[in-house]
Amino acid sequence: MPRHRSTLKLRRKQLDRTLQPLSDLRRIAVPPVGWLRSIREALGMSTYDLARLARLDPSTIRATEGREANGAVTLETLRRLAGQLDCDLAYFLLPRQGTLEETLQARALKVAEALVEPVHHTMSLEAQSLAEDARREQIRELAVEMVHSQSAEIWNEVSEP
């Protein structure tokens, strides 16, 4: 993996542009019975028909549909059965923050806060604490520096309050 800052930032921007049109897809709910069964039934195809096309036992199709509905099916199995339904399997990861850049910045802020908070607490016990706005600025500056330097510290485990 390239570690050069500009290369990583460029890769994030390129992936963000690729993923942006897909962001609305997270609003699509997976049918309770899963996509395989829903599409098979919508096509009027029986379990036996799909089993015959896929050269599998009908009980394997039923079990696979159950595993998909429970989130335990493999991508290869989904791809194979999707092909028998004349469908393509679409697979991608969508950043929860909106973009990869926002994900990285949010993570850096979280880690920076975890690093600054113990120091702030110690200083407050000694009546030397920073004002809240100065503490927030210190956290922001540390986060910006971590992102800029691609610090591996960004991925340190952070305990939740």
Side-chain angles (χ1 to χ4, degrees):
M1 178 174 129
R3 295 289 298 170
H4 191 268
R5 285 188 301 251
S6 61
T7 303
L8 289 173
K9 189 166 186 160
L10 178 62
R11 288 180 71 196
R12 280 194 305 275
K13 283 183 176 184
Q14 288 171 338
L15 278 171
D16 283 340
R17 275 196 297 274
T18 299
L19 294 172
Q20 194 283 323
L22 305 173
S23 63
D24 288 341
L25 295 177
R26 70 170 44 92
R27 290 188 287 208
I28 298 173
V30 176
V33 296
W35 291 110
L36 287 173
R37 182 173 170 187
S38 294
I39 290 174
R40 176 183 59 74
E41 288 177 348
L43 291 171
M45 183 185 289
S46 72
T47 304
Y48 295 99
D49 293 331
L50 182 55
R52 185 176 36 75
L53 289 170
R55 293 185 174 92
L56 295 169
D57 191 83
S59 64
T60 301
I61 299 297
R62 285 189 292 276
T64 301
E65 288 176 346
R67 282 194 305 278
E68 185 214 355
N70 294 324
V73 70
T74 66
L75 290 175
E76 180 51 39
T77 299
L78 275 178
R79 187 173 289 113
R80 179 177 176 209
L81 292 178
Q84 296 304 319
L85 295 168
D86 200 23
C87 292
D88 292 320
L89 174 67
Y91 170 80
F92 45 86
L93 305 176
L94 292 175
R96 291 181 184 146
Q97 298 292 330
T99 66
L100 295 171
E101 192 64 36
E102 291 166 335
T103 298
L104 186 62
Q105 291 172 7
R107 178 65 188 185
L109 277 171
K110 186 176 185 177
V111 172
E113 186 167 20
L115 291 170
V116 168
E117 197 52 43
V119 174
H120 176 70
H121 179 71
T122 301
M123 289 177 72
S124 67
L125 292 175
E126 298 169 358
Q128 298 175 16
S129 64
L130 295 171
E132 181 61 21
D133 58 340
R135 185 179 74 82
R136 285 273 150 219
E137 181 61 19
Q138 190 178 38
I139 290 168
R140 190 195 67 74
E141 287 176 3
L142 180 57
V144 166
E145 176 55 32
M146 284 193 296
V147 169
H148 179 72
S149 68
Q150 287 297 310
S151 172
E153 236 176 341
I154 290 174
W155 305 113
N156 286 352
E157 194 169 330
V158 176
S159 59
E160 297 295 325

